Amino acid sequence: MAIEWYLVLSALLFAVGASGVLLRRSPLVILLCLELMLNAGNLALVAFSRSLGNQEGQVFALVVMVVAACEVVVGLGLIVAMFRRRLPLDVDEIRELRG
Amino acid sequence: MEQVAFFAGAIGALGGALAVVALRNPFYSVLALIVHLISLAGLFLILYAEFIAAAQIVVYGGAVMVLYLFVSAYVGGSEEPIWEAIPGQRLLAPLLAAALFIEVSIAVLGTGLKAIGERGPTLPAGFGSPGSIGELLLERFLVVFEAASMLLLIAAVGAIVLAGRRREAGPGGAGGPGQPGERSGARRDQPSPAPPGTPGSGAEEVAR
């Protein structure tokens, strides 16, 4: 398989994730869609690493995974804190930074 | 054979991604994301990235998704209301996403990259294996490795502070019968909600 198939698939996954971020209102699902976008980036990195015969892209993908895990942890902590404060879990209703 | 594997993985990944966006219950969205991640791990295997594929399944499909499942079960499977906050949002968002896809495709395929249209070189044995990735990570990218571990540590501490504060402030603020051990924790955390002043305390009263 030529590399452009992977790149187009990666662009498609990124667009689906972006549409999810634009479309959905639950912060939990928005975080999931951010994961989709990060994974699309990972796919492109690994595809380039394959086509260049160079492993550094894979190390980059690993670092992206670490960043995604951090983002998940902090985001889920925020969601739990919002839930404990009885705030509505809807990004259209939470427009201010103060709780 | 490779094409069959690629298209199977691509259909799984794309279907999972669409299901994440389309399903209305967050719990099902998380399950769809697991399907997406596992098919993506298959694609990584085709690309000779064994270690990334294993890390994808173990770290993402395992640990992170369990965290998601616990939180979505804890928060409750509240389905989103049908009404749109922004008029035409349901129409505009896919439109914008399609525009983004076309743009990125043009940008990627129109760049005249030499690699486009090729399969890439034949790879040496051990490409993408845990050994070679680990060697690269601990020799050439040691600083990156340490920075990533520091970032994880900071994120873990931040999550504990974010998610744990309210619970400590609850029994401490509720009055007398609070345990003395939790008292000190509550008192230490008291100043941080205090500066907003009246709105913060108002929110706490509402919460109770």
Side-chain angles (χ1 to χ4, degrees):
Chain A
M1 295 298 290
I3 184 178
E4 67 248 30
W5 286 93
Y6 293 97
L7 296 181
V8 169
L9 176 65
S10 157
L12 201 53
L13 290 177
F14 190 87
V16 170
S19 80
V21 171
L22 292 173
L23 202 57
R24 302 299 299 264
R25 291 199 296 279
S26 153
L28 198 69
V29 182
I30 288 180
L31 273 181
L32 289 176
C33 294
L34 284 179
E35 296 284 316
L36 285 181
M37 295 164 80
L38 286 168
N39 272 310
N42 259 353
L43 182 62
L45 284 172
V46 173
F48 276 123
S49 141
R50 162 76 181 90
S51 85
L52 297 178
N54 188 338
Q55 291 176 339
E56 286 161 22
Q58 298 191 5
V59 175
F60 204 151
L62 216 57
V63 174
V64 171
M65 265 185 212
V66 170
V67 171
C70 293
E71 168 241 318
V72 166
V73 164
V74 174
L76 290 182
L78 277 175
I79 289 174
V80 169
M82 278 159 62
F83 182 71
R84 287 226 176 104
R85 286 179 171 263
R86 309 288 200 280
L87 292 173
L89 284 178
D90 186 335
V91 290
D92 281 325
E93 295 191 26
I94 306 171
R95 301 172 195 218
E96 297 155 355
L97 279 176
R98 67 178 168 78
Chain B
M1 188 59 210
E2 193 193 352
Q3 275 137 11
V4 174
F6 171 78
F7 281 109
I11 288 169
L14 204 55
L18 286 174
V20 168
V21 176
L23 289 175
R24 283 181 57 223
N25 190 338
F27 200 83
Y28 295 149
S29 287
V30 177
L31 294 181
L33 190 65
I34 294 178
V35 173
H36 166 82
L37 292 174
I38 289 176
S39 353
L40 216 56
L43 288 181
F44 288 166
L45 272 184
I46 304 174
L47 289 168
Y48 296 90
E50 307 159 16
F51 181 62
I52 304 289
Q56 175 97 0
I57 289 182
V58 173
V59 174
Y60 251 130
V64 171
M65 286 303 117
V66 167
L67 197 62
Y68 263 118
L69 280 179
F70 270 124
V71 169
S72 70
Y74 173 69
V75 168
S78 58
E79 303 204 344
E80 288 183 21
I82 290 288
W83 57 271
E84 304 175 326
I86 307 167
Q89 184 182 11
R90 210 164 288 268
L91 196 69
L92 278 177
L95 218 61
L96 280 174
L100 181 70
F101 167 61
I102 292 169
E103 251 177 75
V104 173
S105 296
I106 289 173
V108 165
L109 298 179
T111 41
L113 284 170
K114 268 187 290 180
I116 296 280
E118 287 177 20
R119 292 194 46 169
T122 49
L123 298 171
F127 183 87
S129 67
S132 53
I133 293 283
E135 219 166 86
L136 208 55
L137 209 53
L138 288 181
E139 283 179 0
R140 262 198 72 191
F141 294 107
L142 184 63
V143 179
V144 176
F145 183 69
E146 294 296 333
S149 56
M150 280 306 290
L151 187 62
L152 272 176
L153 181 66
I154 292 168
V157 172
I160 291 169
V161 170
L162 274 176
R165 188 178 61 192
R166 187 72 187 88
R167 190 186 59 197
E168 280 181 14
Q179 300 90 330
E182 286 201 339
R183 261 329 242 281
S184 63
R187 200 169 295 149
R188 190 196 63 219
D189 283 331
Q190 218 66 42
S192 50
T198 41
S201 56
E204 275 183 9
E205 278 172 15
V206 169
R208 225 158 275 148

